[in-house]
Structures are given as structure tokens and as C-alpha cells.
Amino acid sequence: MLMEKLRTHHTRDIEPEEMADKSVTLAGWVHEVRDLGGICFVVLRDREGMAQVTLVKKKVDSDFFNKAKKLMRESVISVTGTVKPEEKAPNGYEVLPDDITVLNESCTPLPLDTTGKVEAEMDTCLDSRYVDLRKPRTSAIFKIRHEVLKAVRDNFTREGFIETTTPKVVATATEGGTSLFPITYFDREAFLNQSPQLFKQILMSGGLEKVFEIGPIFRAEEHDTRRHLNEATSIDMESSFSDHFDIMETLENTIAHAYSQVKENASQQLEYLGIDLEVPETPFKRLTYSEAIDIINQYGKEELEWGDDLSTLSEHTLGEHVYNETGAHHYFIIDWPTEIKPFYAMPYEDNPEISKTFDMMHTRLELSSGAQRIHYYDMLKNRIENQGLDPDSFDFYLDAFRYGMPPHAGWGLGCERLLMTMLGLENIREVVLFPRDRRRLSP
Ligand code: ATP
Ligand code: MG
């Protein structure tokens, strides 16, 4: 089989002392060639790390030496040779090669420096993701993304949730906003879904009780910020027989589990990124919306009135205040004015101006929004009308509330925002392979 012929080990699998003098075959990319005259180092890089391949001029055939010297960076090679412990080399060993096969030669010059010595602009990195991903720092981010998604799935499974997928091509806007991408669906107009909200509520009523989905959401908002994408990955859940407080616990558990799994399974990647990850302590602090407004008015640079939505600036004031007080990045803002939350949010029975809602925040931005949902048909229909929407276009959704809809609650958590805050990255585009934003549609 090809795989065995081209590679017996990954660079990380080699134990220098135990495997000294053994023959191994490594496969990967030429990270760097250092020609020191009498000695030539070829640094081979694979997904797991680097290995130094050392050729001493006097000891090898001169053609072989010259060929190695001229290897192009980022060419794909397979190297067979013997292992020699060497403290100064990466991973504590070098390989003395018998054979180097070039599997495919790379063009030159490269669109960016894969050794990370020369920093490239974000746009250059995104235009050339295929090469950018070769940088250990970039690939570390996406391995951590994998660990986060795996941990999220684990936690949902552990808590009895069923994974679902809902349609992304839909006929109705979720929240009636204008932030939708219209598409042509045969001879009709359709949209790319901005949230699985309505579908996950229907699913949950249909006997699955506790559901989750990890999938794309599309938002045609024209913002050009470092925390918004036009296509993002949303981690969504909906849980029957639950209120907002029940699902806040699931959210805290999800976050804490993601952090601890990354810490456990991606220590090498965290090292590449220079991060000493702290698992957040649960439960997270809970502030009411009214308390948040008071803090913003007392400590912030702007005056907000009860009923206003929080601006980016006020989110910063609040996050910094909470962090100074508690030393924690994550916190909840609960009990929002009903008017500024979506129509499906459940108002408190004894004070309908306030709703059973929350946002979960990280110091500088929102990570998640959630709520207990309205499960009464009439109330929901009224709320849709009050928000100036046409209940007829919500038939498919409203119907589900006529045939035994349990009380329920749910949240949506931005996968990219979770990752960028976990890794302390400033720009959300860093954690998406091929970001879609105001200007970027390719690659
Ligand atoms: P914001 O006010 O920060 O724009 P939102 O309140 O519009 O967010 P929700 O509709 O509450 O967002 O979506 C739930 C979560 O999905 C958000 O908390 C966020 O983590 C993520 N999310 C929403 N829109 C985007 C986007 N355009 N880009 C990246 N993540 C997003
Ligand atoms: Mg929100």
C-alpha cells in the first residue's frame, strides 16, 4: 500500500533513544533547507511537527548531497533513513537519509513564508490558505477547532441531546429581518437560513425532546467588523421541559468542557500559539439587564436608557467591569426587555415587560443568546403580529404549536466566537478556513 511505502511514522512518533539506528520513512513538506557547505539540513514538516534530515557532504554521494541542497521549499517529499538521537534537533533526533523521493515539486516563490519568520497580511494568508495552513500556528488553530467541536458533541451526547441537521434553504425569514441572502429556488424566491431557530423548535416538539445542531448560518448584514462573518458556524440547542436557567447550565458545561478538552488534547497546539489555557469556572456570574445598564451608566462613556440594546462600547465597559470584579471572562446578562428580544422569547408571567432571556458574554463580545421560548400558539401569533410580521408566512412553524408543544428553551452559540475568545485572537477570520465577509467570496 502507498501509505506504508511513503510513511512509516509521523515526526512526533519517533522516540530518539528507543529507535536509535532504526530505519524509518517520513513523509511531508520541505519546511526549510539550510546549506552550511559541508553539511546540509533539510527540515521535513508533517502534520504533527518537524524532523531534521541531516546530510554530511563527506559521508554521502555528491549527487545525492547536491540534489538535497536544491530541494524547493514546500515540495512534498518522502525520506527513508536511520534515526540518530540529537539533542539540538527538533524532537531530539535527526534522520540520516538513504533516500529522498520528491513526490511533487513546489513552485517558487511561495505566496507567503511558511516558517512564520516573515509575517504576511491577513488577506494574503486568506488568499493562500493552502500554504498558510502549513504554518504550525495556523494548523494549530484548526486542530483546536476540531477539538472544540468534538468536545461540544461529547457534552451534548452526555446530556442526552440528539444531533440533527435542518434545512439551510428556506422560504421564511427566521426573525423577519432584512439580513437574508435571497436565492433562486427553481421559479421561486428562497433564502439562506440565518438561524435554525424555527426548525429546531419544531423538531424538539416532534418527540426528540432535546436536540442540537452544528451548522452554518448566513447573515447578509453589511457590517465589516472583526467579530462578524456573513457565513458563520452556529452551535444550537433546544430542550423540552426546560426554562432559561436549565439551559444556562448546559451552556456553562459546554464551554467548560470545550476548554478542558482542548487543554487535555491540544497541549502542543496551545504551545505553538503561546497560550496557557485556563478552564473557566462554573457557574458564570449572572447580572440582570437592569444591573448591566446601571454599571454602564456609572462606569461607561455613554448614557443608556432602560430598553436600549447594548452597544459595542457598552459591552466593553461591562465586560471589563465584571473582569475586574471577578477575574472571570464569561458572564451572563439575564432578563432582557421583551421588546428588544425576538418574538419567540417568553415574557415573565408576572412582569411581561421582561423576558426569560440571556446573553452569554466574554469580556469584549457576545458569545451566545438564549431564552425560554413561547410555547402557546395564541401568544406566539400575537407576538409575531406585534412585531409587524405576517403570521401567514409562519404557518409551517405556528402549526407545530397547536398539537402539543411542551415548554422549552434553547440557545445559539457562535463556534468562531468561542474559538477566537478561547485563543485570544482579535480577528474572527483567523478561525475560519475560508471566511465569507463583505468583500470575500473566494476562495
Ligand atoms: P451580535 O449582536 O453580536 O451581532 P446577534 O445577537 O445578532 O450577535 P444571535 O442572533 O443572538 O447573534 O446569534 C447567536 C450567536 O451566534 C451570537 O451570540 C454569535 O456568537 C453568533 N453569531 C451571530 N451572528 C454572527 C455573525 N455574523 N458572525 C459570527 N458569529 C455570529
Ligand atoms: Mg444575540
Side-chain angles (χ1 to χ4, degrees):
M1 283 203 289
L2 187 61
M3 208 187 239
E4 285 164 17
K5 204 172 121 205
L6 297 182
R7 171 188 277 153
T8 56
H9 298 79
H10 270 106
T11 52
R12 275 249 152 192
D13 302 335
I14 291 175
E15 302 287 344
E17 301 299 333
E18 263 168 51
M19 296 173 62
D21 299 324
K22 288 230 166 82
S23 174
V24 295
T25 303
L26 304 177
W29 290 260
V30 176
H31 188 65
E32 233 181 334
V33 179
R34 268 179 278 144
D35 174 16
L36 308 179
I39 191 161
C40 174
F41 298 114
V42 176
V43 181
L44 174 146
R45 189 194 64 245
D46 63 17
R47 199 183 71 179
E48 309 295 323
M50 316 255 187
Q52 176 175 300
V53 179
T54 307
L55 296 94
V56 180
K57 196 170 186 176
K58 281 192 207 145
K59 293 191 183 163
V60 297
D61 176 81
S62 67
D63 278 355
F64 186 36
F65 189 84
N66 289 333
K67 201 178 114 193
K69 235 170 57 173
K70 289 195 192 116
L71 283 171
M72 289 296 175
R73 275 172 51 194
E74 296 308 317
S75 293
V76 187
I77 56 172
S78 173
V79 178
T80 300
T82 42
V83 175
K84 184 175 157 229
E86 170 55 65
E87 265 180 30
K88 281 180 266 162
N91 299 317
Y93 71 91
E94 59 186 0
V95 173
L96 307 178
D98 304 314
D99 189 26
I100 300 180
T101 311
V102 177
L103 300 169
N104 211 345
E105 199 160 276
S106 169
C107 289
T108 182
L110 297 166
L112 54 92
D113 175 26
T114 50
T115 64
K117 285 178 194 153
V118 186
E119 284 282 335
E121 295 282 331
M122 172 80 67
D123 273 331
T124 312
C125 296
L126 296 177
D127 286 342
S128 310
R129 265 298 198 210
Y130 47 89
V131 177
D132 182 49
L133 262 178
R134 317 263 178 94
K135 293 195 300 212
R137 185 180 180 282
T138 311
S139 67
I141 293 172
F142 291 97
K143 280 181 222 164
I144 292 173
R145 186 177 162 121
H146 161 75
E147 288 299 336
V148 165
L149 290 175
K150 187 154 77 79
V152 166
R153 286 199 163 87
D154 280 355
N155 195 67
F156 277 130
T157 306
R158 193 164 76 173
E159 294 196 18
F161 284 78
I162 292 173
E163 181 159 5
T164 56
T165 51
T166 59
K168 302 305 151 208
V169 176
V170 295
T172 312
T174 304
E175 291 166 34
T178 49
S179 56
L180 287 158
F181 288 110
I183 57 166
T184 304
Y185 190 72
F186 301 108
D187 53 355
R188 277 187 289 171
E189 185 181 54
F191 304 96
L192 293 175
N193 209 358
Q194 66 176 80
S195 155
Q197 182 60 36
L198 309 184
F199 286 95
K200 68 181 173 161
Q201 285 183 266
I202 297 173
L203 271 171
M204 180 262 336
S205 78
L208 296 182
E209 294 196 12
K210 292 166 98 177
V211 293
F212 78 98
E213 169 166 357
I214 301 175
I217 54 170
F218 301 90
R219 305 206 170 181
E221 294 148 352
E222 296 198 8
H223 36 224
D224 194 5
T225 77
R226 297 201 287 183
R227 62 180 203 286
H228 287 100
L229 296 160
N230 294 111
E231 177 177 359
T233 307
S234 183
I235 300 164
D236 263 276
M237 62 83 88
E238 207 64 38
S239 180
S240 305
F241 309 109
S242 305
D243 66 11
H244 52 315
F245 292 119
D246 294 312
I247 60 164
M248 283 160 71
E249 268 179 40
T250 303
L251 183 52
E252 289 164 338
N253 294 343
T254 304
I255 303 282
H257 192 59
Y259 272 72
S260 70
Q261 288 298 292
V262 167
K263 203 171 161 74
E264 200 172 312
N265 301 329
S267 54
Q268 189 199 335
Q269 283 71 33
L270 289 171
E271 215 173 283
Y272 275 133
L273 294 162
I275 294 171
D276 181 15
L277 196 65
E278 252 180 68
V279 180
E281 268 180 43
T282 57
F284 299 162
K285 186 178 173 61
R286 293 166 188 198
L287 285 175
T288 63
Y289 166 87
S290 298
E291 287 166 339
I293 293 287
D294 288 345
I295 293 170
I296 292 160
N297 286 342
Q298 192 176 344
Y299 298 95
K301 291 195 186 75
E302 61 186 335
E303 194 75 14
L304 292 187
E305 281 185 26
W306 198 93
D308 287 344
D309 210 346
L310 304 191
S311 62
T312 308
L313 186 65
S314 54
E315 284 178 357
H316 291 179
T317 307
L318 199 56
E320 271 145 35
H321 180 82
V322 172
Y323 183 72
N324 290 338
E325 273 210 329
T326 62
H329 288 292
H330 298 89
Y331 67 100
F332 284 106
I333 308 171
I334 62 170
D335 299 352
W336 289 70
T338 309
E339 270 315 301
I340 55 172
K341 282 293 177 190
F343 63 78
Y344 44 78
M346 177 67 103
Y348 278 97
E349 292 81 2
D350 55 353
N351 187 0
E353 294 228 308
I354 299 175
S355 54
K356 299 182 178 184
T357 47
F358 62 83
D359 274 9
M360 199 270 287
M361 313 292 295
H362 186 278
T363 310
R364 291 179 77 80
L365 74 173
E366 175 194 318
L367 295 189
S368 170
S369 288
Q372 184 180 331
R373 322 295 193 187
I374 295 174
H375 58 286
Y376 303 118
Y377 178 88
D378 291 334
M379 191 185 210
L380 190 57
K381 194 168 170 199
N382 272 335
R383 289 280 297 144
I384 291 176
E385 277 164 353
N386 288 345
Q387 294 218 346
L389 301 168
D390 175 12
D392 289 347
S393 62
F394 289 90
D395 272 354
F396 77 102
Y397 168 68
L398 277 169
D399 275 350
F401 291 74
R402 298 168 61 204
Y403 303 100
M405 177 63 86
H408 62 282
W411 45 253
L413 163 68
C415 168
E416 289 82 14
R417 295 222 185 145
L418 171 59
L419 257 165
M420 71 186 279
T421 50
M422 175 185 278
L423 304 181
L425 302 172
E426 290 292 323
N427 194 328
I428 197 164
R429 290 161 185 79
E430 283 208 65
V431 300
V432 191
L433 275 175
F434 299 105
R436 293 289 172 259
D437 65 22
R438 191 76 185 84
R439 289 168 297 125
R440 188 167 280 283
L441 184 57
S442 176

